[in-house]
Amino acid sequence: MYKTKDEIINQKFESKKFSEINGRILRNLNILNDKKPKLNAFVTLFSDIDFNEFSECINFLSLCRYIKLSNISTNRETPFDIKEFDNITVKLTARGIKLLKGKKQNKAVDI
């Protein structure tokens, strides 16, 4: 039986590896304690992960508002765009902190 596009997307977001990477990203940002690293520098902490998987996780966490992405030049919040990878900073949000502290839950983030 064929799966719908939505079923495939949901399956990916609920996969163990995806949720582990999401949790690892949030924990690393928490350790950085309110610093706003450049996304292209932050990715070096994840050299053992495929770049596309990392990008998908950053996009997901941004859409869920667990992280905030900002344009380096304007310091304004920006949506994730792979073409702007070198011009974006990343920061943990209050919502992301609540998730890390167990006050919220998301099956796609393994804390």
Side-chain angles (χ1 to χ4, degrees), residues 18-87:
F18 183 78
S19 63
E20 287 173 354
I21 296 169
N22 286 331
R24 189 170 155 198
I25 289 170
L26 293 180
R27 288 190 305 275
N28 276 279
L29 284 171
N30 190 44
I31 290 169
L32 292 172
N33 194 21
D34 206 31
K35 306 246 184 317
K36 291 177 16 178
K38 293 180 182 178
L39 199 51
N40 61 354
F42 186 66
V43 72
T44 60
L45 298 174
F46 300 88
S47 60
D48 58 319
I49 297 171
D50 179 71
F51 180 77
N52 290 327
E53 290 176 318
F54 176 81
S55 297
E56 288 173 356
C57 289
I58 290 293
N59 188 41
F60 172 78
L61 293 170
S62 175
L63 290 172
C64 290
R65 315 226 23 91
Y66 297 135
I67 61 173
K68 177 183 174 184
L69 303 175
S70 300
N71 181 288
I72 291 172
S73 305
T74 64
N75 205 27
R76 290 192 177 138
E77 190 169 355
T78 186
F80 180 73
D81 183 352
I82 196 81
K83 292 177 259 171
E84 293 296 318
F85 201 82
D86 294 338
N87 300 317

